[in-house]
Amino acid sequence: MVFWIAVLIGGLFAWGAAQVGFFASWIMLFNLVLAAYLALFLSPLIIDSVPATTDTPYGYALVLLTVAIATLVTAYAICYTCLSGRTRIEFPALMDKLGAGVLGFFGGFLVSSFLGLVVSLTPLPEMEALRSLGLEAESQRATRGFLCWWCDVLHGFVGSAEASMTRSEDAVDFLLSRAAPPVEEIQVPAPPPQPSGQQTAPQPQGQPTGQAPGQFSGQPASGQPGGAPTTAVAPLGSGPQSSPMSAAASPTANPALPTPAMPQPIPSKTPGPPVDPKTGPPIRFP
């Protein structure tokens, strides 16, 4: 989306450049390249020298834009005073229209690329209303490459090989890395170290934690306070008479326990003849 916006702005600049001529269009393009070049290479020095300029989220963009505007106004004032205001050069009509349109397109594309870089240094690309425009730095590789190419061409004439930044891409990467918000790291607390004297034995598979091996659920381990011997409970379904009652009643289950006495049957009485309530029970003689 940013690329097509730059093409549209370049077309508008091309139409305006065709109206003013080739000489004025060449002065405009040169001043725009000079402004972008100084803004890219001077902004990192200003940011490092004056850290207060980046106290706000828009500080990096303001520094870049301020240097570019100051350079453009100064360069235009010098050119108008020395060149365009005093000199007029006539070119053929085809070159004056077509050549001026090409220079104007380059100038418009350069302006839109520089403004896109400025916007990417602000929190504006994260807004919901502007997210569909693709103003993030990753979406402006084509326009940013065009901007860096013009700055590198000028740097090849006026730059020094001993400078800390010899390419405009280094300056752009520096600004993008400094303007990007830092990534919040989530600190996970480490588990407390286990005392060397208290090491738990490996539990067998299927054994509950904290229970002695061979001990059933609900049976206290031997040697513990209150750990009285209890009757072992056989697992259900292990035999035809496998039940807790049969295991408890069997004398071989635990010989230390007394065998419970079997309940004696109550003798049933033979019902006699009916008793008359008036005369009482009948008298039987041997």
Side-chain angles (χ1 to χ4, degrees), residues 189-201:
Q194 186 177 5
S196 58
Q198 299 180 1
Q199 296 183 357
T200 57

Side-chain angles (χ1 to χ4, degrees), residues 102-119:
V102 173
L103 296 179
F105 179 82
F106 288 162
F109 202 92
L110 183 66
V111 169
S112 59
S113 303
F114 182 80
L115 293 179
L117 175 62
V118 171
V119 173

